Amino acid sequence: SSHPGCTLNDAVTLAEFLKNNARQPEQVQDFYPTPGTASTCMFYTGIDPATGKTVYVARDYEEKQMQRALLQFARPANGNIVRKALIKAGREDLIGFGKDCLVRPAPSKPAGDKLQKGKTASKPKDFRKGNKDKPKKSFDKNKTKGKRR
């Protein structure tokens, strides 16, 4: 991901290809400049040495994240960033429940989830079996004094 010359739209096209061919890469390698390569030359200069033409280079961390997440669109952890990337690329048609969609719409939060200002959520109750009526046992060190186990 983030190879010189690759745009966000290129990453979307590749994600569609992966989806259509039932491929889900487990690992994606981000581009790191390596001395002596044409890719590194393009990364630092923004020019393709073979043609002399200007090439796009993703330098923004957020866009690099988007390109990487698009290649692993099926991972639930990437859902928000994939949606953001698709919206930025103008490809909202790939957000939904259709067979060609890369990611589902963002889950909506219930209206009652918000806390009022200044209030905190209550602690969860302990529903373990038998804890309700039993008194807590206290440790009496006089009873165990001198006894070895």
Side-chain angles (χ1 to χ4, degrees):
S1 67
S2 309
H3 193 275
C6 294
T7 64
L8 191 58
N9 288 328
D10 294 330
V12 171
T13 303
L14 181 54
E16 287 181 291
F17 174 83
L18 293 170
K19 168 95 175 172
N20 293 336
N21 290 285
R23 302 286 181 217
Q24 294 182 7
E26 290 181 21
Q27 298 177 354
V28 175
Q29 183 175 349
D30 289 328
F31 174 78
Y32 289 101
T34 307
T37 64
S39 298
T40 298
C41 180
M42 289 190 291
F43 177 77
Y44 285 111
T45 64
I47 298 171
D48 183 347
T51 63
K53 294 182 180 178
T54 302
V55 294
Y56 176 78
V57 179
R59 300 195 186 278
D60 183 65
Y61 176 72
E62 184 179 33
E63 184 172 349
K64 289 180 179 190
Q65 273 189 317
M66 287 180 186
Q67 286 192 24
R68 180 184 183 94
L70 280 164
L71 300 183
Q72 295 178 317
F73 62 88
R75 290 188 173 187
N78 291 341
N80 288 334
I81 196 157
V82 169
R83 278 186 284 278
K84 189 174 184 178
L86 291 172
I87 291 168
K88 185 175 181 180
R91 294 298 309 269
E92 292 92 349
D93 60 304
L94 297 176
I95 302 172
F97 297 98
K99 67 178 179 87
D100 294 331
C101 293
L102 296 178
V103 68
R104 292 178 180 228
S108 60
K109 293 183 179 178
D113 259 2
K114 295 182 181 179
L115 293 175
Q116 292 179 359
K117 195 173 186 176
K119 301 228 176 177
T120 58
S122 61
K123 292 183 180 179
K125 294 180 182 179
D126 188 5
F127 289 105
R128 288 181 285 180
K129 188 176 181 180
N131 284 350
K132 195 173 12 174
D133 299 326
K134 291 183 182 178
K136 289 185 178 179
K137 294 181 181 179
S138 61
F139 179 73
D140 186 0
K141 67 180 182 181
N142 292 330
K143 288 184 177 181
T144 58
K145 197 172 184 179
K147 294 182 181 179
R148 291 189 180 247
R149 292 186 177 189

